[in-house]
Amino acid sequence: MNLKNHIKNIILEINNDTNLICEEVIDNTPERIETFYKEIFSGLSLDPKDFLKRTFPVPNNDLILEKDITFYSMCEHHFLPFFGKISLGYIPNGNIVGFGDLIKVIEAFSKRPQLQERFCGEIADCIFEALNCQGVYVIVEAEHTCMTMRGVKAFGSKVVTTASRGVFNTNPHLKAEFINLIK
């Protein structure tokens, strides 16, 4: 059975009175949802490290920071969206990448069924390993609709996760500089 048939069965199971369901919904909604799932989970077919292959040499290794990067993803527990902002910084090791390439890494990981904690760590690991940089720090702040529209209904609550690698784990002044700069 294909995805469209499964979705049609879900629609009919939720509301088994077909007199209350528009024929257009039964006929066309499964295809719309299938298209949506293919788009929203397109990161499963990508290797985020591929976006970090083109580097540029730099004469110094000062902190590079990109903040307030908007993202959305899908909670793997409920298949409901979570969304928010990411700030990340890294200390190069002689080479940098384009700012857009870092956003592509975030997009590739966000377009997968996710847990925010893993998502944050995957971004940090990818940048740290692919760039062979001295350190990376990632902060993800997100609102989870699985907590706001169902369950505890904690409207406006946000979850914050962090991941640090390399010198950010050994140099508290560098970590403090990063945190001060994103405020």
Side-chain angles (χ1 to χ4, degrees):
M1 189 182 289
N2 66 29
L3 184 57
K4 286 186 276 193
N5 287 336
H6 288 296
I7 294 166
K8 182 176 182 177
N9 288 335
I10 290 169
I11 292 168
L12 293 171
E13 183 68 28
I14 289 170
N15 187 352
N16 58 10
D17 185 349
T18 54
N19 295 323
L20 297 175
I21 303 173
C22 170
E23 188 176 318
E24 191 278 335
V25 169
I26 293 171
D27 291 342
N28 298 316
T29 296
E31 186 171 344
R32 286 191 290 266
I33 293 174
E34 179 183 54
T35 300
F36 165 71
Y37 278 168
K38 286 179 180 177
E39 177 186 335
I40 201 79
F41 298 130
S42 62
L44 289 167
S45 63
L46 300 173
D47 182 352
K49 287 183 182 178
D50 287 345
F51 300 115
L52 302 176
K53 289 181 177 178
R54 189 182 61 194
T55 62
F56 311 95
V58 289
N60 57 53
N61 291 315
D62 295 329
L63 173 63
I64 296 169
L65 186 137
E66 194 166 354
K67 69 180 194 171
D68 296 331
I69 304 163
T70 303
F71 79 94
Y72 61 88
S73 190
M74 293 287 275
C75 166
E76 68 183 36
H77 289 152
H78 302 99
F79 267 42
L80 288 171
F82 68 97
F83 56 91
K85 296 201 180 277
I86 295 176
S87 294
L88 64 85
Y90 72 100
I91 304 294
N93 199 8
N95 291 299
I96 60 169
V97 292
F99 297 124
D101 294 331
L102 295 171
I103 292 172
K104 290 174 188 173
V105 168
I106 291 167
E107 284 284 309
F109 282 120
S110 71
K111 290 191 174 186
R112 300 172 177 193
Q114 276 292 6
L115 295 175
Q116 181 176 330
E117 299 87 342
R118 184 177 64 236
F119 174 55
C120 187
E122 285 175 334
I123 294 166
D125 289 339
C126 179
I127 294 168
F128 188 64
E129 293 165 12
L131 296 183
N132 191 30
C133 60
Q134 295 180 46
V136 63
Y137 198 98
V138 178
I139 297 178
V140 178
E141 182 175 315
E143 183 172 327
H144 292 250
T145 60
C146 59
M147 286 178 34
T148 60
M149 67 183 280
R150 60 155 307 278
V152 295
K153 295 184 176 94
F155 298 104
S157 66
K158 294 205 170 40
V159 176
V160 178
T161 53
T162 65
S164 58
R165 306 292 184 263
V167 295
F168 284 100
N169 288 332
T170 58
N171 186 335
H173 300 293
L174 193 56
K175 189 179 272 191
E177 178 184 4
F178 173 82
I179 291 169
N180 285 331
L181 286 170
I182 64 166
K183 290 182 180 181

